[in-house]
Amino acid sequence: MLEERLREALARPEEEGPAGKAVGLLLDDAAQAGVSDVHLNPDARGLEVLYRLDGVLQPRARIDAAWTERVLGKVKVLAGLLTYRKDVPQDGQIAAAEAGGRTDVRVSIFPTVHGEKAVLRFFLHAGEKFELDGLGFPADIVARLRAAAAQPDGVVLLTGPAGSGKTTTIYALLHEIVKPGPGGRRHVVTIEDPCEHAVPGVTQTQVNPAAGLTFASSLRSLLRQDPQVIVVGEIRDRETARVAMEAGLTGHLVISTVHTGTAAGVVVRLLEMGVDAHVLTSALSCVLAQRLVRRHCPSCRGSGCPACLGSGFRGRQVFGEFLEVDDALRSLISSGADRAALEESALSRGMLPLRRAGELLVESGLSSPDELSRMIK
């Protein structure tokens, strides 16, 4: 077990760098398990080690209190952080070479009443391929996403809670957009928070609010860089929404995300942000609402085994609802229709609702009713 291996590594003070060996062991174990995050949570007894696997946080091991500061200190050294500052939040990054050679790791340190807490976020693997056909969406959604990515202008929005796969879908769209075509190369720029994957052929930047580089200010500046495709990590405020919609009206393809529950809910949210209904109906092309559910572990079929860390699940499956903004929907938006009316109109013309898309996965045996209920309230 990981806890026994950590205890063994730390019990050898005669060897050079036991804390470093323990951190290396932890990084290697987490990378092999395929986790997205490792939490080092301090309490009176030491550090509780938790893994986020397939979106669910679960205990993995515990490190004795005598080693708490030294283990956290080693994490900070690897991430290039100030080891003597323990009273302020810090953010850094562990290079892939220091993390087992698999992937870079983003490190966030935060002071608590029991000491510093560390969260290690494993970036997307550099060699991982992002293809629309490989995401797991039904063929009709893939075809619609591909068609949306080929448009010269308009706004394409994704929605869903944190951890629902929106970033992966956007990167797949980017890889689709930069493929060589008869129209030549398209100038693609992104504004991200943070940039988690380098896409060849794409100009990528990260927001830096402390320096005044927000989504809205970056977007206004990028419009002077002659872009054809703009990816905005998230539309969070009225100004970003306004500039994004106007960009979609003036010859740019804009791809972004909005936090809300359903595809139709995105329309309502943008109107609440103050986007003019006429601008919205002219700019918005489509909305994809997506979720991820855990799949039954193929090794144990749900009973729990080392491969799934005893959870009974291994890997996740995406599903979603795709809302195309057609003439009928534009008319409803202009007339001030509410979310229910927009959804009813879209459903009457063939939109598969989010819940039903999830139910089909359960009926196929890929996941469980409880897992679907966890993702859709």
Side-chain angles (χ1 to χ4, degrees):
M1 291 181 61
L2 175 62
E3 185 165 332
E4 294 175 355
R5 293 159 64 199
L6 287 171
R7 189 178 296 115
E8 181 180 349
L10 293 170
R12 298 175 178 174
E14 71 280 0
E15 295 187 10
E16 183 179 355
K21 294 181 186 299
V23 171
L25 178 63
L26 182 62
L27 290 171
D28 189 63
D29 181 76
Q32 288 190 33
V35 307
S36 61
D37 302 85
V38 173
H39 288 235
L40 301 179
N41 206 24
D43 57 28
R45 294 187 294 154
L47 280 178
E48 184 182 21
V49 180
L50 303 102
Y51 283 2
R52 187 175 295 282
L53 179 65
D54 297 328
V56 176
L57 198 62
Q58 48 192 300
R60 179 63 170 161
R62 176 170 285 280
I63 296 172
D64 291 340
W67 286 98
T68 294
E69 288 195 15
R70 276 175 281 187
V71 167
L72 287 173
K74 183 60 179 178
V75 170
K76 292 167 75 173
V77 167
L78 291 174
L81 303 178
L82 301 175
T83 57
Y84 61 87
R85 291 304 303 267
K86 301 178 182 180
D87 56 343
V88 295
Q90 295 190 66
D91 294 293
Q93 186 166 311
I94 301 176
E98 299 284 355
R102 293 180 175 85
T103 176
D104 291 343
V105 179
R106 188 172 76 237
V107 176
S108 173
I109 303 290
F110 196 83
T112 76
V113 294
H114 289 294
E116 292 179 296
K117 172 183 172 65
V119 176
L120 286 61
R121 164 65 60 91
F122 285 69
F123 278 0
L124 302 167
H125 292 253
E128 188 173 350
K129 293 184 178 180
F130 298 88
E131 298 288 344
L132 285 179
D133 293 314
L135 294 179
F137 285 113
D140 64 320
I141 288 184
V142 172
R144 291 180 174 187
L145 284 171
R146 183 168 281 121
Q151 294 301 309
D153 55 17
V155 179
V156 176
L157 296 178
L158 284 72
T159 189
S164 60
K166 300 186 298 298
T167 299
T168 300
T169 301
I170 286 178
Y171 280 135
L173 284 169
L174 284 174
H175 280 272
E176 186 77 19
I177 289 168
V178 298
K179 289 179 180 178
R185 179 174 174 176
R186 301 168 79 181
H187 182 200
V188 185
V189 296
T190 72
I191 311 164
E192 304 176 58
D193 183 24
C195 177
E196 296 190 9
H197 171 69
V199 183
V202 176
T203 301
Q204 297 172 265
T205 188
Q206 289 188 171
V207 296
N208 184 357
L213 194 65
T214 64
F215 281 123
S217 64
S218 300
L219 183 53
R220 286 194 300 270
S221 296
L222 283 176
L223 289 174
R224 298 189 288 272
Q225 289 282 313
D226 186 34
Q228 292 169 285
V229 181
I230 305 171
V231 172
V232 183
E234 183 183 348
I235 294 177
R236 298 174 179 172
D237 53 65
R238 179 175 182 173
E239 179 65 9
T240 306
R242 184 187 64 80
V243 179
M245 292 298 150
E246 290 181 357
L249 281 175
T250 55
H252 308 87
L253 176 63
V254 180
I255 302 171
S256 189
T257 68
V258 176
H259 277 289
T260 188
T262 63
V266 169
V267 176
V268 176
R269 178 70 181 127
L270 290 171
L271 291 171
E272 291 173 346
M273 285 184 178
V275 176
D276 182 79
H278 174 71
V279 172
L280 182 60
T281 56
S282 300
L284 187 60
S285 301
C286 58
V287 181
L288 172 66
Q290 67 178 77
R291 297 289 191 280
L292 290 171
V293 289
R294 292 182 296 170
R295 302 169 60 114
H296 289 306
C297 176
S299 299
C300 65
R301 297 184 180 181
S303 61
C305 68
C308 61
L309 304 185
S311 67
F313 295 94
R314 181 66 174 173
R316 290 190 285 179
Q317 174 67 44
V318 69
F319 64 100
E321 63 179 16
F322 191 94
L323 177 72
E324 186 171 351
V325 182
D326 54 17
D327 290 340
L329 210 62
R330 292 187 183 97
S331 178
L332 285 172
I333 295 171
S334 297
S335 67
D338 61 11
R339 181 181 59 82
L342 296 175
E343 286 182 348
E344 183 180 353
S345 175
L347 292 172
S348 70
R349 294 190 307 286
M351 183 183 79
L352 184 68
L354 192 61
R355 177 170 288 280
R356 181 55 187 155
E359 289 172 348
L360 291 175
L361 294 178
V362 173
E363 291 169 9
S364 72
L366 282 174
S367 194
S368 70
D370 287 344
E371 177 66 8
L372 178 61
S373 296
R374 186 178 69 87
M375 298 310 301
I376 301 182
K377 304 302 182 183

